[in-house]
Amino acid sequence: MKILFITSTRIGDAVLSTGALNYLIQKHKGCEVSVVCGPLPATLFEGFPNIDEIIALKKEKHHKHWFKLWKKVSKTKWDIVVDFRNSLVSRTIFAKKRYIYGKQIDQKKHKVEQASHLIERKLDIPAPKLYFTAEQEQFADELLGSHGKFIAVGPTANWIGKTWESEKFIETIEWLTRDEGPFPDMPVAIFAAPGEEEQAHKVFDALPEDKRIDVIAKGNPGQVAAILNCAEFYLGNDSGLMHIAAACQVPTVGVFGPSYPHLYAPWGIHTAYAQTPETFDELTDFEGYDPKTLDRTLMKSLKTETLFNIIYDFLTEYESHRSSQSSKTA
């Protein structure tokens, strides 16, 4: 069986589609899957079983990238085509079954629910899932070195408007790692993508030298995911890193401001999020607002005390759930 899986160019959206991909792979044993995505998230799919090819589709003028993709995949007789991009390609190639994102999907639902409903899974929604290659796991081992347990923090994002202030991240890390905190004296790994180094170093440089791990602009997304897979806890802005952590089943708390949690909150019972008192629409409702020229955070109204309470309640409930599950399987 041959499956063509066309997903996003963005890391976060690509990760949120992996539950659907994993479901199809598990359902159709021995299938051969070709994944089409943007160049940035491509390495996240390298560890998946049954992957025959990863096609990193780079956008070109006049939609030439779609024509190149059509030329590449049109010669194959596909059993299943899944298309989150709603492209003409998936409509004009041979396929026994097509799942094409369109108006039939309730776009008010969470992105994971949308992905599940696209492949006709209304109940028992498959959660995002990542796999890792031996090389990716080796990269993680070498970078982490002798560090044992650690917490991970992503204080940056691809847009300054949804980045919580560095000072508040520092204060939160101090609370997390204090003697009476949830993770006393635990090392902290700071993550950021290339181009976000300056913001990340504001947090990294404030940490004790013997208690910090530098994952700022280190490795490709697949390698970074393998590192996050080793974390005890993740805290960060709404970003692709947050979704990677959640997909790795790491206890994850996202920090939201001008974002839509109903669409992009981290997914799963092992996750939670804190949000500004104002919604996305309220935060951006001011004269002169232009996302392209915005040069400041829009999240100043989110207080550290609010996040402390959310993290404390979340970890308490999460540990209770884990204990309950352990007792059931004992």
Side-chain angles (χ1 to χ4, degrees), residues 109-315:
K109 296 283 188 181
H110 193 282
K111 288 293 183 177
V112 172
E113 294 177 287
Q114 292 185 34
S116 180
H117 294 173
L118 178 60
I119 58 170
E120 299 179 355
R121 296 290 297 171
K122 304 297 183 182
L123 302 173
D124 190 23
I125 295 170
K129 168 75 174 177
L130 294 176
Y131 296 85
F132 307 102
T133 65
E135 181 278 327
Q136 290 168 345
E137 291 176 337
Q138 181 180 352
F139 181 89
D141 289 342
E142 291 175 354
L143 188 142
L144 292 171
S146 60
H147 290 288
K149 295 181 178 181
F150 68 94
I151 63 175
V153 177
T156 64
N158 62 356
W159 181 50
I160 193 171
K162 61 178 183 179
T163 55
W164 204 34
E165 297 118 295
S166 301
E167 297 77 14
K168 291 181 179 177
F169 270 110
I170 294 168
E171 185 180 346
T172 304
I173 292 170
E174 291 173 349
W175 175 81
L176 286 167
T177 58
R178 62 181 181 168
D179 290 342
E180 64 274 27
F183 304 98
D185 205 35
M186 193 173 286
V188 179
I190 301 299
F191 291 73
E196 300 170 359
E197 294 93 338
E198 182 179 354
Q199 182 78 4
H201 270 287
K202 291 178 182 177
V203 178
F204 180 81
D205 294 344
L207 304 179
E209 290 187 12
D210 63 334
K211 293 295 180 182
R212 65 189 187 186
I213 304 170
D214 185 357
V215 199
I216 300 171
K218 299 285 195 305
N220 60 47
Q223 293 168 331
V224 170
I227 300 170
L228 277 172
N229 189 51
C230 303
E232 292 290 304
F233 174 76
Y234 179 86
L235 170 69
N237 296 310
D238 171 28
S239 70
L241 283 171
M242 178 194 72
H243 292 300
I244 289 173
C248 292
Q249 299 298 302
V250 173
T252 297
V253 174
V255 185
F256 281 70
S259 302
Y260 291 121
H262 70 283
L263 296 176
Y264 286 109
W267 182 265
I269 60 173
H270 60 290
T271 71
Y273 68 90
Q275 185 180 18
T276 53
E278 308 90 350
T279 65
F280 185 119
D281 297 325
E282 291 169 338
L283 287 169
T284 56
D285 184 21
F286 60 88
E287 186 176 352
Y289 168 70
D290 183 345
K292 294 181 180 180
T293 59
L294 187 73
D295 59 358
R296 58 185 174 85
T297 178
L298 298 177
M299 297 179 61
K300 289 182 178 293
S301 60
L302 179 59
K303 300 182 182 300
T304 52
E305 292 79 5
T306 300
L307 185 57
F308 295 170
N309 290 333
I310 288 172
I311 292 175
Y312 179 81
D313 291 344
F314 160 66
L315 289 175

